[in-house]
Amino acid sequence: MTKVTLYIAASLDGYIARSDGGIDWLSILDIEGEDYGYGTFYESIDAIVLGSNTYEVGLGFDEWPYPGKKSFVFTKRHLQSDREDVVFVSDTVKNALANIEAQGFENIWLVGGGALINSFLQHSLIDEYIISTIPTILGSGIQLFPPPTPEEKLELINSKQYSSGLLQSHYRRTGKL
């Protein structure tokens, strides 16, 4: 059975990026020697799902941010990549996830963005949530959970506070309210 985990950072007011997609505000977290559990999490996943805008943000980094993992990019556009580990998906999230599972991937990281997260939420396809709340108020931007958002009951697995002020909360979906 495939497990989908939303592992993401959000501002205190619930934004994952500026309106233009910018994530420069996350640089306040750059503390030498601190990865906020990212390395352990990354090793635990088999594949990544992300939206095309998030994919394009990743292309702007000095290095591809998801090495050694198959990345499934959801898009309606005709995008191309010379990377063998990037697959473009235009199917529904339910059908695509079934296809990803059929390929043997069991632990999936749902990277973002907001519209893709919402699609997974609409079908109750997110099993766990690891949300890193950043002590910043952006005031506007791309919402973590854009409406309409269905109700979900979550159980807290654990939480951890870091010296940077980041608060990371790990939840498991228990069902509908």
Side-chain angles (χ1 to χ4, degrees):
M1 180 78 177
T2 299
K3 177 176 83 171
V4 175
T5 302
L6 173 63
Y7 181 97
I8 198 163
S11 64
L12 185 60
D13 54 346
Y15 296 100
I16 58 175
R18 297 188 189 282
S19 297
D20 64 1
I23 56 171
D24 58 302
W25 55 279
L26 292 172
S27 65
I28 66 167
L29 302 172
D30 293 342
I31 297 174
E32 190 171 329
E34 180 60 75
D35 79 346
Y36 304 99
Y38 177 79
T40 300
F41 173 76
Y42 195 77
E43 288 303 314
S44 76
I45 59 154
D46 302 321
I48 295 163
V49 296
L50 62 160
S52 60
N53 291 335
T54 303
Y55 164 73
E56 288 175 327
V57 168
L59 290 176
F61 295 154
D62 291 336
E63 296 179 12
W64 177 241
Y66 313 114
K69 307 289 180 179
K70 184 73 102 178
S71 295
F72 296 89
V73 179
F74 285 75
T75 185
K76 300 275 188 233
R77 298 182 284 153
H78 297 288
L79 299 177
Q80 295 182 359
S81 174
D82 56 2
R83 299 189 60 87
E84 292 182 16
D85 56 355
V86 172
V87 176
F88 296 102
V89 178
S90 61
D91 208 346
T92 66
V93 293
K94 283 183 88 167
N95 291 342
L97 191 58
N99 183 34
I100 292 168
E101 184 175 10
Q103 294 178 53
F105 297 107
E106 296 179 354
N107 294 300
I108 311 300
W109 174 16
L110 173 56
V111 175
L116 184 60
I117 291 168
N118 191 282
S119 294
F120 272 74
L121 275 170
Q122 294 298 323
H123 297 286
S124 297
L125 295 174
I126 303 173
D127 301 295
E128 293 187 8
Y129 299 75
I130 302 174
I131 311 295
S132 295
T133 304
I134 312 306
T136 299
I137 296 173
L138 291 179
S140 66
I142 299 170
Q143 294 178 308
L144 172 57
F145 300 118
T149 305
E151 294 181 359
E152 290 277 346
K153 176 139 176 53
L154 307 176
E155 168 188 34
L156 180 65
I157 296 172
N158 61 47
S159 63
K160 183 173 182 180
Q161 179 180 344
Y162 291 85
S163 63
S164 64
L166 179 144
L167 177 63
Q168 190 172 77
S169 302
H170 186 171
Y171 297 94
R172 177 183 305 118
R173 178 175 51 89
T174 59
K176 297 276 187 195
L177 287 178

